Amino acid sequence: MPAFEFAWLDLAVVGLYVVFIVWLGLYLARRMETADDYFLAGCSLTWWLIGFSLFASNVSSSTLLGLASSAYGTGISVYNYEWMATLVLIFFVIFILPFYLRTRIYTIPEFLERRFDGRARVYFSGLLIVLNIMVDTAGALYAGALVVQILYPQVPMWLAVAVLGLLAGLYTVAGGLKAVVYTDAVQAVLLLLGAVLVAVLSFKAVGSWEVVEAQIPVGDLSIIRPADDPVLPWPGLVTGVFLLGFYFWCTNQFMVQRVLGARDLNHGRWGSLFAGLLKLPVLFIMVLPGIFARILYPPEQYPMLAANTDLVFPTLLFDLLPAGIRGLVITALVAAIMSSVDSTLNSASTLVTMDFIRRLKRRDSHELVGAGRWVTVVFMALAILWAPQIVRFPNLWTYLQAMLAYLAPPVVACFLVGIFWKRATRSSAFAGLVVGHLAAAVFLGLNLTDRLIVQTGPLSPAQQALVAAGVPVLHFLYLPPILLAISVVAMVVVSLLQPPPAPEEVEGLTWSPEFFRQESRELAGLPWYQNYRIQALGLLVLIAWILIWFR
C-alpha cells in the first residue's frame, strides 16, 4: 500500500482552496440586508446553482469514502440510495414543491402550520433542529474528521472537528444561504472533477471492463440484491429507502432550503431535477472505483484494506495520482466536508429564527438577520462539542440509520396525508407525530433490551445467538413503513372523529386532478426542453437503463 504522505504541492493546493472559499463566502455577505436575503438568498437562485448546491450538500466526505468502501466489501448495491434519490426528487417536483413555493414559506415546518396548526410546526421544527445539529452537522464534522485522521493520523479528533466547523461556520454566519449556495456550486464542481479523476485512472489501471467481469462475482456487480440480503434486500428499496429518501429530500430543511430560494417554480423544478441527474453518474465515478480497487488491491494480499475498507479511496488517491493533482482531489474531500456543514448550520439557524424567535417576538428584518447569525454561532459550537461523541456508537452508519429510521416516518406521514387527503383535520398532524414517535420509542426500547433485533447488516455472533434463542429480527428498512402506517392510522382516526376542514382552509395546500390539469395548461406555453415533465421522463429512462444494465 502507498504511504499517505502529502507533497508540499498538495498542501499548497488545499491551502489556496480554503482561503478562496472563505473569501468567496465573506464577499457574498456584503449585501445581506433583509431576512429574505439571509435565509432565502433573496429568492434569486437559478436552476444550476440549486442543483449543484443540492448535490454538494448531499455528497459528504463520508460518501466519497463510504461508496468506494462498500463496493470494495460487498459490491455495487449501495448505489440503490443514489438512483432512488433521483426518483424521490422526481416525486418532489411533481407533488410537493409547488405547494412550498406558492405559500412563500421560510421553513418546511411553516408549511405544516399552514396545512394543519402551530403545534405541528413547533413539534417538527424542534425535531429538525435536533436532527440538524446531532445528526447532520455533527455527523458531517465527524466524518470529515475521520477523513483527516486517515490522511493525517497525528491530528486529534477534536482539533480536526473544531477547525472544519470554524472554517465552514465563518462564511455561513456572515453570508447566509447565498454564501452557502455559491460556495456549494464551486465545491460540487471540485467533487465531480476529483471523483472523475480517480475513476478514470483506476479503470485505466485495471485495463478493461472484461477484466472486471472476469474477476468480480456477478452478484457484486448487481444493483438489485435478493430479498434475504442482510445489507440491502430489494423489498427494502420501496419500504425503507424511498421513505427515508422522501424525508431527506422533501422535508429536511437543510436540503430543501436552497429550493425555497428559487427564482420561480420552474427554476426550483429544474434545479431539483438537475441534482437528480448529477446523482446518476455516481455509480461510475464513486461506486465502481471500489470494485476496481478490489482487482488492484486484492483483500487477501492487502489485509489492511480488508480490515478497514475506508482506506480504499485514500489508497487509490495516493497510489494513482501525482502530486498537485492529488491535492486537487484532497481539496474535493475538504469541499465535501464544508458543503455539508455549511448547509446544516444555515438550516438550523433558519429554523430557530423563523419558527421560534419570530413567532415569540415580532422583529424587523435586520434583527432577524442578527439573530440568525448568533444562532449559527451557537449551533456551530454545539455541533463541534457533540461530534466527537459519535465515536461511542459502533460506526457512523449505525448512528445515522438509528436516528432516521425511528424519527423520520411520522414526519413523512404528515406530509403525504396532508397533501393528498383534504379530509385530514388540523389536529391530526400533531396526533400522527406524537403517536408515531411513541411507537418508535417502543421499537427502540425493544431493540436496546434485546427483545428485538433491528438489523443493519450481517448479524454479529452475539445477535446470531439471540436469534437462536428465539429473538425476532426486523431489518431496519422494514421499520419505516410500520411506523408510517401507525402514524397514518392515527391521523385518519383523529380526522374522522372531527368535523372536516372548510374547503378554503385546504385550498392551495392539497393536490387534486384539477391541479394537474391547470399545470398542464401552463406547461403548454413552454418549449419542450423546459417542460419539467419531459425532463423527469428522461431521468426515468436513464434510471431504467442503468438498472437493466447492472441488474
Side-chain angles (χ1 to χ4, degrees):
M1 287 182 59
F4 297 160
E5 296 179 355
F6 290 99
W8 69 267
L9 190 55
D10 297 329
L11 294 174
V13 171
V14 175
L16 286 173
Y17 166 75
V18 170
V19 171
F20 167 74
I21 210 68
V22 172
W23 169 84
L24 177 61
L26 295 176
Y27 175 80
L28 292 168
R30 295 179 306 160
R31 296 183 178 179
M32 292 293 108
E33 298 178 356
T34 67
D36 274 357
D37 290 335
Y38 191 79
F39 297 111
L40 295 180
C43 294
S44 63
L45 301 181
T46 53
W47 66 269
W48 64 272
L49 279 170
I50 294 169
F52 275 133
S53 184
L54 284 170
F55 180 78
S57 297
N58 172 240
V59 178
S60 66
S61 57
S62 60
T63 305
L64 279 173
L65 268 66
L67 292 177
S69 168
S70 182
Y72 184 90
T74 61
I76 66 173
S77 63
V78 69
Y79 178 69
N80 281 299
Y81 288 94
E82 308 305 311
W83 71 263
M84 186 61 77
T86 305
L87 196 62
V88 171
L89 283 167
I90 292 173
F91 184 89
F92 173 63
V93 301
I94 296 174
F95 297 109
I96 310 295
L97 180 60
F99 301 106
Y100 286 173
L101 293 185
R102 290 177 182 181
T103 49
R104 305 309 306 167
I105 55 176
Y106 282 93
T107 69
I108 305 306
E110 188 178 350
F111 177 80
L112 283 188
E113 183 177 39
R114 301 281 185 90
R115 176 61 181 89
F116 297 106
D117 60 19
R119 292 175 301 168
R121 177 181 183 176
V122 171
Y123 186 107
F124 182 38
S125 186
L127 176 66
L128 274 179
I129 290 167
V130 172
L131 289 175
N132 275 177
I133 299 304
M134 298 186 68
V135 176
D136 299 320
T137 310
L141 286 174
Y142 177 76
L146 288 180
V147 173
V148 172
Q149 287 194 316
I150 288 173
L151 299 175
Y152 204 71
Q154 297 89 337
V155 176
M157 169 71 71
W158 68 267
L159 181 59
V161 165
V163 171
L164 292 172
L166 289 171
L167 286 174
L170 180 62
Y171 62 80
T172 306
V173 168
L177 182 63
K178 191 170 186 179
V180 168
V181 170
Y182 274 86
T183 53
D184 279 357
V186 175
Q187 289 162 171
V189 173
L190 278 173
L191 276 171
L192 292 167
L193 180 59
V196 167
L197 281 172
V198 172
V200 169
L201 291 177
S202 58
F203 180 70
K204 185 177 179 181
V206 167
S208 68
W209 184 250
E210 287 73 20
V211 173
V212 175
E213 291 181 315
Q215 298 192 35
I216 302 298
V218 174
D220 286 356
L221 293 177
S222 297
I223 295 174
I224 307 300
R225 303 301 289 266
D228 60 353
D229 186 79
V231 178
L232 201 61
W234 71 262
L237 295 177
V238 177
T239 61
V241 176
F242 183 86
L243 292 181
L244 294 179
F246 181 96
Y247 163 79
F248 186 83
W249 292 99
C250 303
T251 69
N252 193 339
Q253 180 74 21
F254 104 83
M255 293 304 298
V256 182
Q257 188 165 342
R258 63 262 305 117
V259 190
L260 299 182
R263 177 177 295 178
D264 55 38
L265 178 57
N266 279 328
H267 278 277
R269 281 172 163 160
W270 299 336
S272 300
L273 293 177
F274 180 44
L277 177 64
L278 293 175
K279 294 289 284 181
L280 295 181
V282 165
L283 171 64
F284 305 98
I285 65 176
M286 297 182 190
V287 177
L288 284 177
I291 294 293
F292 304 152
R294 197 192 300 182
I295 298 172
L296 299 173
Y297 319 106
E300 58 275 8
Q301 296 179 23
Y302 294 84
M304 185 177 293
L305 281 184
N308 183 7
T309 55
D310 284 339
L311 296 175
V312 168
F313 188 85
T315 299
L316 290 169
L317 177 64
F318 281 87
D319 192 30
L320 301 178
L321 273 64
I325 299 298
R326 184 169 58 218
L328 184 65
V329 181
I330 295 170
T331 300
L333 286 171
V334 176
I337 298 166
M338 296 177 71
S339 61
S340 297
V341 175
D342 62 22
S343 299
T344 54
L345 284 175
N346 183 251
S347 163
S349 168
T350 305
L351 289 166
V352 171
T353 305
M354 306 310 291
D355 287 340
F356 292 95
I357 295 177
R358 188 176 67 164
R359 283 168 59 88
L360 294 175
K361 185 177 181 180
R362 289 288 175 181
R363 297 169 181 256
D364 62 30
S365 281
H366 291 287
E367 290 179 320
L368 289 174
V369 171
R373 285 175 171 150
W374 278 110
V375 170
T376 303
V377 171
V378 172
F379 282 168
M380 177 180 64
L382 290 175
I384 289 172
L385 291 173
W386 175 252
Q389 306 308 313
I390 299 176
V391 74
R392 300 176 183 271
F393 291 79
N395 53 59
L396 182 60
W397 170 259
T398 301
Y399 174 76
L400 296 175
Q401 297 307 316
M403 296 290 280
L404 292 184
Y406 290 103
L407 295 176
V411 174
V412 175
C414 286
F415 281 86
L416 290 179
V417 173
I419 289 176
F420 291 105
W421 192 40
K422 294 183 178 181
R423 180 65 175 77
T425 59
R426 295 177 64 83
S427 299
S428 63
F430 184 70
L433 288 169
V434 172
V435 171
H437 285 137
L438 286 176
V442 171
F443 277 98
L444 179 61
L446 293 173
N447 186 32
L448 293 176
T449 57
D450 292 331
R451 297 178 184 178
L452 172 71
I453 297 174
V454 178
Q455 183 181 10
T456 58
L459 296 177
S460 66
Q463 290 175 323
Q464 291 175 4
L466 290 172
V467 173
V471 175
V473 178
L474 178 69
H475 198 282
F476 85 94
L477 289 177
Y478 301 145
L479 178 60
I482 295 174
L483 296 176
L484 177 79
I486 291 172
S487 297
V488 168
V489 169
M491 293 184 69
V492 170
V493 169
V494 169
S495 296
L496 295 179
L497 291 175
Q498 297 177 329
E504 61 270 16
E505 291 181 5
V506 297
E507 183 68 29
L509 298 171
T510 53
W511 190 88
S512 66
E514 176 55 35
F515 180 90
F516 182 83
R517 288 190 289 269
Q518 179 183 345
E519 182 184 86
S520 298
R521 291 190 289 269
E522 294 171 357
L523 292 173
L526 292 176
W528 67 269
Y529 57 86
Q530 291 184 347
N531 188 323
Y532 84 94
R533 293 179 185 172
I534 295 177
Q535 296 168 356
L537 181 61
L539 288 178
L540 290 175
V541 171
L542 287 175
I543 291 173
W545 177 81
I546 291 173
L547 294 181
I548 292 171
W549 187 266
F550 291 94
R551 61 186 181 277

